[in-house]
Amino acid sequence: MVERKKWSSSILFIMACVGSAVGLGNIWKFPYITYENGGGTFVLVYLLAVLIIGMPILLAEMLIGRNSERNAYDAIVKLSNQNRWWKLVGALCLFTGFGILSFYSVVAGWTVDYFINALLGNLSHLDFTTTGQHFGSFVSNPGKQILYHTIFMAMTSLIVWRGTKGIEKAIEVLMPVLGVLIVVVMSVTVSKYGAGDTLNFLFDIDLSKITAHAILEAMGHAFFTLSVGMGTMIVYGSYFPKKNSLLKATLWIGVLDTIFALMACLMIYPIIFGTKMEVRESASILFTTLSVELQHLPFGNYICAVFYLLIAFAALSSTISLLEPVTAFFIENRNMSRAKATLVSGGSIWFLGVFCALSNGGSEFISKLKIMDHLDYITSNWTLPLGGILLAIFCAYVISNDEKARELNVSKDSMLFKSWNFLLKIVAPTLVLIVMIYRIFNS
Ligand code: TRP
């Protein structure tokens, strides 16, 4: 057997994982769910969720990958000795990958259109009354929706086509540029409106304000933002050389992902608080009200363009991590060449994505079925958390403690190892299960 391709360095591996983690979840979703759930208290719950659920499962996934040197499906099959129930978990991971990428790519595509139009000055005539209409007519334009979704899937596929080398090359450019651009926009908004209100909001903790809804949302988001629950990190971990530390990688990914999410708030909230903006539809604010306010900043057109470009970069480094697991499955399980596997996985996800692209008004029939909303709902709220707990349980019970301790290069009697194993065995599955049961009874 040919030796499996590996990341060229530990730093590149961490950058690829951070690239996967930092995406629309950080820049689009985190600021609005934090806003909706009242700020500081939610941030605290979220940090706890990342620490006791997200990061332990992240480590578990990477360990499963590095130990088996396979994609998620085949890793589970191999380590469970072909157990047919566990195979279903592998299949669940594949399904989630298909589902998430098909709608994610559509939203990512929106940023490309907004970037181009901001740059050309085509957004500058919009005001608070027309921006919503503009967004509405854009998302219901079938041609444009399919075009931008296609562009995004094509870029993603071209990178994945070249394997780890391609991903590394892309990440080496995307991540540093993303870091710089976010600091640029953040500096502009903070210097114009100040950071005082934002910081007060983000760090104002009042434990009496915690709601069940906030806890659920925080837990669900912890999975999504760290890219765990569908085997992305199994695949990325499977390309990680044995000599490098998985523990260190987990820590870096958790910390950097959180920093990016908080920076996104520091970039967006000063505008909201500074202009006393009325936030009605927080989910689409990124493409409506915010685009108008960004134009009012110094060099407005360009700042606005930079803003959408940075979101596109964050999204692209995530879409490649959603396509790679599916592609790796076709290579390793179906014996396809990488070129063919990329074509098959990218092509079929593109096809499913077309239905999402048409489900915001582009096609009357498809919009009625709300395919995009349903796929988002099912994957983010159900299959991702379910995949997450099952992978936690898999790592906790199927892989022996000796094997795990060896992978992590720690003693199995150490506090660190024991606490991690306990979180995987009991805490994370119980908490996630409670969330799911609560959701069933409240929907
Ligand atoms: N974490 C990314 C974000 O925050 C999205 C993402 C990439 C993802 N790969 C994933 C989510 C795998 C779940 C599973 O936008």
Side-chain angles (χ1 to χ4, degrees):
M1 194 175 148
V2 273
E3 213 204 316
R4 194 179 174 80
K5 287 252 183 335
K6 292 281 160 74
W7 303 108
S8 341
S9 72
S10 190
I11 306 257
L12 277 168
F13 166 67
I14 293 172
M15 272 169 79
C17 294
V18 173
S20 166
V22 175
L24 295 173
N26 302 61
I27 298 171
W28 179 40
K29 205 164 169 200
F30 183 74
Y32 93 68
I33 56 177
T34 301
Y35 188 87
E36 278 181 344
N37 288 292
T41 317
F42 178 79
V43 174
L44 182 73
V45 177
Y46 166 78
L47 290 178
L48 277 175
V50 165
L51 209 62
I52 61 177
I53 304 177
M55 286 167 66
I57 302 184
L58 170 62
L59 181 57
E61 278 201 25
M62 293 194 297
L63 188 146
I64 294 172
R66 191 169 68 174
N67 191 264
S68 62
E69 301 192 67
R70 297 280 190 285
N71 70 85
Y73 182 87
D74 292 287
I76 294 172
V77 171
K78 178 179 171 190
L79 298 178
S80 72
N81 286 325
Q82 313 272 344
N83 178 300
R84 68 193 151 107
W85 295 108
W86 281 117
K87 272 188 193 170
L88 287 177
V89 179
L92 181 75
C93 288
L94 281 174
F95 169 83
T96 310
F98 260 86
I100 295 184
L101 184 50
S102 64
F103 70 80
Y104 200 97
S105 155
V106 173
V107 179
W110 296 349
T111 63
V112 178
D113 174 87
Y114 271 69
F115 164 67
I116 295 172
N117 282 311
L119 203 61
L120 297 176
N122 293 345
L123 299 180
S124 48
H125 66 281
L126 295 175
D127 57 32
F128 295 116
T129 43
T130 51
T131 181
Q133 288 157 7
H134 172 85
F135 179 67
S137 71
F138 168 62
V139 295
S140 59
N141 180 320
K144 280 191 181 166
Q145 289 302 301
I146 294 179
L147 173 71
Y148 288 110
H149 161 60
T150 307
I151 290 176
F152 223 88
M153 279 309 294
M155 290 194 295
T156 307
S157 307
L158 280 175
I159 295 169
V160 168
W161 191 311
R162 311 245 346 259
T164 46
K165 282 279 155 296
I167 300 177
E168 284 182 351
K169 280 230 171 73
I171 289 293
E172 268 173 328
V173 178
L174 294 175
M175 293 318 285
V177 176
L178 170 62
V180 171
L181 296 187
I182 214 170
V183 170
V184 169
V185 180
M186 199 173 79
S187 317
V188 175
T189 60
V190 167
S191 61
K192 169 131 190 206
Y193 296 111
D197 288 339
T198 303
L199 294 174
N200 281 340
F201 183 71
L202 285 178
F203 295 108
D204 164 38
I205 294 167
D206 175 357
L207 295 182
S208 66
K209 276 201 264 172
I210 293 184
T211 62
H213 177 77
I215 298 178
L216 301 187
E217 194 120 73
M219 285 211 240
H221 190 62
F223 281 97
F224 192 84
T225 193
L226 291 178
S227 304
V228 297
M230 59 149 276
T232 280
M233 293 302 184
I234 295 185
V235 177
Y236 272 25
S238 75
Y239 306 134
F240 196 40
K242 291 275 184 203
K243 60 180 195 302
N244 295 328
S245 164
L246 287 177
L247 277 166
K248 234 196 256 163
T250 306
L251 203 63
W252 274 110
I253 299 164
V255 169
L256 285 172
D257 183 67
T258 306
I259 291 179
F260 269 99
L262 293 174
M263 284 207 297
C265 292
L266 265 169
M267 169 170 83
I268 292 170
Y269 288 166
I271 306 181
I272 297 183
F273 294 131
T275 59
K276 307 217 161 30
M277 181 191 285
E278 201 188 318
V279 181
R280 264 167 296 153
E281 290 174 330
S282 48
S284 59
I285 186 173
L286 212 58
F287 297 98
T288 53
T289 337
L290 221 47
S291 72
V292 176
E293 282 299 351
L294 284 164
Q295 308 272 342
H296 295 156
L297 293 166
F299 307 102
N301 276 355
Y302 298 110
I303 286 297
C304 191
V306 165
F307 179 72
Y308 290 110
L309 183 67
L310 79 87
I311 305 175
F313 274 27
L316 185 59
S317 61
S318 297
T319 51
I320 48 188
S321 81
L322 284 157
L323 186 59
E324 176 61 22
V326 185
T327 306
F329 167 80
F330 283 115
I331 296 173
E332 290 162 11
N333 193 282
R334 303 276 137 197
N335 282 322
M336 288 183 190
S337 65
R338 183 165 270 276
K340 189 170 170 201
T342 313
L343 210 63
V344 172
S345 55
S348 44
I349 293 172
W350 171 83
F351 184 71
L352 185 59
V354 167
F355 290 89
C356 295
L358 295 177
S359 69
N360 295 301
S363 144
E364 206 180 315
F365 176 67
I366 295 174
S367 305
K368 270 201 201 112
L369 299 177
K370 293 196 171 174
I371 294 188
M372 181 155 160
D373 291 348
H374 287 316
L375 268 179
D376 179 11
Y377 179 79
I378 294 170
T379 51
S380 312
N381 293 306
W382 293 103
T383 64
L384 203 58
L386 189 63
I389 36 173
L390 291 169
L391 291 174
I393 292 172
F394 184 84
C395 181
Y397 296 97
V398 177
I399 306 177
S400 74
N401 284 350
D402 289 324
E403 191 71 27
K404 280 182 286 197
R406 189 160 355 108
E407 273 298 343
L408 298 183
N409 209 0
V410 294
S411 149
K412 67 176 177 178
D413 297 315
S414 63
M415 256 315 269
L416 182 74
F417 184 86
K418 282 189 176 156
S419 341
W420 171 66
N421 222 10
F422 178 70
L423 287 173
L424 284 188
K425 273 190 171 152
I426 316 278
V427 181
T430 314
L431 289 176
V432 178
L433 214 60
I434 294 175
V435 171
M436 296 186 122
I437 293 173
Y438 185 94
R439 284 217 155 112
I440 292 176
F441 286 106
N442 277 279
S443 59

